């Protein structure tokens, strides 16, 4: 495999070299808490590193521990030396510092211009997912709220298939500005509300569907529960919550999903990909249960969550 421009793997190798905890070339599935504290890493960063290295055949697993064989080590050293020879140490030191920064959050660390570029690109990606979602959920005459919907690609696709539904997106200033631009270009009626998803102040009493796409994986469990509790303010007994993101299946994952796990660990302190059981556990706190699971594409899974029976 050609590793020359494989940036995500470079990042994983760099972080792995910081661990320096391999005894007899064996590494446990989970580091003990004291070791994690000493290294300044959280569990999600460690797991993301291991997944990246496993997918790229840089670690083996013997049923109890991850094993760095001589062949693994040769590949590992080749890639690490490649990084060093290109004098990228300053870049990776900065990356490491971002990983241990308690307040690190991706959207707080980019400029307005970068945020605009991100949001313009995001529209086309989420539009494709919306077209697939529309095949599985009938939103005719429904009232929909999407939190963190960015520039509205998902909503734009859904409205083309369900023109008679009411669609509201809550996000920050730049995504809302671009969303209003896109809705005119595509002739769809989306209401954009510039606001804070942790301090929702909406006039509507309740919605038929609340959509959380690529949102919960940006935050730790505590912040996720804040979001879910806010959802309950605008829910009634029939409200469904749709969770759409790269959910882990506790097995070998698509490469794109694994790469994103490392990005989340570095760019969003506390952010992590979750397995279905973890998401179901979060929703149990608001008395919601899993009703249906749908694979939208090779990366994104949709969970349909509904209120538990009393």
């Amino acid at each position: 495999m050609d590793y020359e421009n494989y940036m995500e793997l470079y990042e994983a190798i760099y972080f792995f070299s910081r661990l320096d905890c391999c005894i007899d070339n064996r590494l446990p599935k989970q580091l003990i808490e004291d070791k994690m504290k000493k290294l300044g890493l959280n569990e999600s960063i460690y797991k993301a590193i291991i997944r990246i290295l496993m997918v790229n055949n840089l670690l083996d697993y013997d049923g109890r521990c991850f094993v760095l064989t001589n062949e693994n080590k040769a590949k590992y050293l080749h890639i690490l030396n490649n990084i060093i020879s290109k004098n990228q140490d300053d870049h990776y030191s900065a990356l490491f510092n971002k990983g241990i920064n308690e307040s690190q959050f991706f959207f707080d660390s980019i400029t307005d211009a970068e945020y605009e570029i991100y949001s313009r690109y995001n529209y086309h990606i989420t539009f494709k997912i919306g077209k697939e979602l529309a095949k599985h959920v009938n939103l005719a005459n429904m009232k929909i709220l999407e939190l963190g919907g960015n520039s509205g690609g998902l909503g734009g696709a859904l409205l083309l298939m369900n023109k008679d539904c009411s669609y509201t997106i809550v996000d920050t200033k730049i995504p809302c500005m671009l969303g209003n631009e896109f809705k005119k270009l595509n002739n769809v009626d989306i209401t954009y509300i510039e606001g804070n998803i942790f301090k929702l102040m909406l006039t509507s009493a309740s919605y038929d569907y609340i959509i959380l796409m690529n949102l919960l994986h940006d935050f730790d469990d505590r912040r996720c529960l804040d979001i879910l509790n806010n959802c309950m303010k605008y829910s009634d007994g029939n409200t469904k919550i749709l969770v759409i993101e790269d959910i882990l299946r506790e097995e070998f994952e698509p490469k794109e999903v694994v790469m994103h796990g490392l990005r989340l660990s570095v760019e969003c302190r506390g952010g992590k990909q979750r397995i279905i059981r973890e998401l179901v556990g979060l929703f149990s706190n608001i008395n919601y249960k899993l009703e249906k699971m749908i694979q939208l594409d090779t990366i994104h899974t949709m969970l349909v969550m509904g209120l538990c029976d009393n």
Side-chain angles (χ1 to χ4, degrees):
M1 180 175 182
D2 177 17
Y3 295 117
E4 283 297 311
N5 298 304
Y6 209 26
M7 184 59 72
E8 293 86 356
L9 182 60
Y10 278 12
E11 292 169 2
I13 289 290
Y14 177 81
F15 275 94
F16 189 70
S17 69
R18 290 279 186 162
L19 292 176
D20 191 27
C21 58
C22 215
I23 301 172
D24 296 329
N25 294 331
R26 302 170 73 79
L27 199 64
K29 289 178 75 172
Q30 191 168 343
L31 289 179
I32 58 174
E33 189 175 345
D34 288 346
K35 187 70 176 178
M36 298 286 273
K37 260 185 206 176
K38 184 178 177 184
L39 293 167
L41 299 173
N42 64 20
E43 186 180 353
S44 60
I45 291 178
Y46 179 70
K47 286 182 177 178
I49 294 167
I50 296 301
R51 287 201 302 271
I52 293 259
L53 297 177
M54 281 291 293
V55 165
N56 287 283
N57 299 315
L58 287 166
L59 283 178
D60 292 320
Y61 185 61
D62 67 1
R64 292 173 300 171
C65 294
F66 294 101
V67 181
L68 191 66
T69 65
N70 288 334
E71 184 182 358
N72 296 147
K73 192 180 288 186
K75 292 180 187 174
Y76 171 92
L77 291 174
H78 168 74
I79 296 168
L80 189 61
N81 288 333
N82 194 306
I83 295 171
I84 295 169
S85 68
K86 292 183 178 178
N87 298 315
Q88 295 176 326
D89 187 58
D90 289 344
H91 169 75
Y92 286 95
S93 293
L95 182 64
F96 181 77
N97 290 333
K98 286 169 70 176
I100 62 172
N101 182 345
E102 289 291 345
S103 61
Q104 179 66 31
F105 182 60
F106 175 71
F107 292 107
D108 292 337
S109 62
I110 60 177
T111 65
D112 287 353
E114 289 170 325
Y115 200 178
E116 181 174 341
I117 292 169
Y118 172 90
S119 298
R120 286 190 184 280
Y121 185 62
N122 180 269
Y123 186 92
H124 304 288
I125 294 173
T126 55
F127 187 89
K128 291 179 182 178
I129 300 170
K131 287 173 65 177
E132 189 60 33
L133 191 157
K135 299 175 184 177
H136 301 281
V137 181
N138 182 6
L139 301 177
N141 299 309
M142 296 295 178
K143 196 173 182 180
I144 302 159
L145 170 66
E146 185 181 358
L147 300 184
N150 202 267
S151 51
L154 186 80
L158 293 175
L159 282 169
L160 287 177
M161 308 289 284
N162 303 273
K163 291 184 181 294
D164 52 353
C165 76
S166 167
Y167 206 101
T168 300
I169 288 176
V170 177
D171 213 311
T172 51
K173 180 179 179 180
I174 290 174
C176 288
M177 176 189 72
L178 292 173
N180 281 307
E181 177 186 321
F182 280 122
K183 83 174 188 179
K184 291 177 183 176
L185 288 172
N186 295 285
N187 193 28
V188 292
D189 187 15
I190 298 177
T191 299
Y192 289 89
I193 298 176
E194 183 183 335
N196 186 332
I197 59 172
F198 296 104
K199 299 176 182 177
L200 282 182
M201 299 288 288
L202 307 177
T203 56
S204 181
S206 64
Y207 292 84
D208 298 302
Y209 284 90
I210 297 176
I211 300 178
L212 309 175
M213 185 171 78
N214 294 335
L215 180 65
L216 296 180
H217 64 203
D218 284 346
F219 303 102
D220 60 21
D221 288 354
R222 179 182 63 82
R223 298 290 272 169
C224 285
L225 285 176
D226 289 342
I227 294 171
L228 296 184
N229 284 320
N230 268 327
C231 289
M232 294 306 293
K233 299 175 186 176
Y234 305 98
S235 305
D236 59 28
N238 298 312
T239 301
K240 306 293 184 188
I241 301 178
L242 305 182
V243 179
I244 305 161
E245 56 182 59
D246 45 347
I247 299 168
L248 299 177
R249 298 296 190 91
E250 298 186 86
E251 57 190 28
F252 286 105
E253 309 289 342
K255 188 181 295 183
E256 295 84 358
V257 174
V258 176
M259 298 303 183
H260 192 233
L262 181 61
R263 291 288 184 188
L264 282 173
S265 300
V266 175
E267 298 289 4
C268 300
R269 184 68 170 176
K272 64 176 183 178
Q273 295 162 303
R274 292 175 173 86
I275 59 176
I276 294 170
R277 187 172 66 250
E278 289 174 318
L279 285 165
V280 170
L282 278 176
F283 274 86
S284 69
N285 289 278
I286 59 169
N287 202 32
Y288 264 63
K289 65 180 180 180
L290 176 63
E291 292 186 348
K292 190 185 296 184
M293 180 177 69
I294 299 168
Q295 194 71 38
L296 296 177
D297 55 30
T298 56
I299 301 173
H300 292 91
T301 303
M302 178 172 71
L303 304 183
V304 181
M305 312 299 293
L307 195 65
C308 295
D309 298 328
N310 292 325

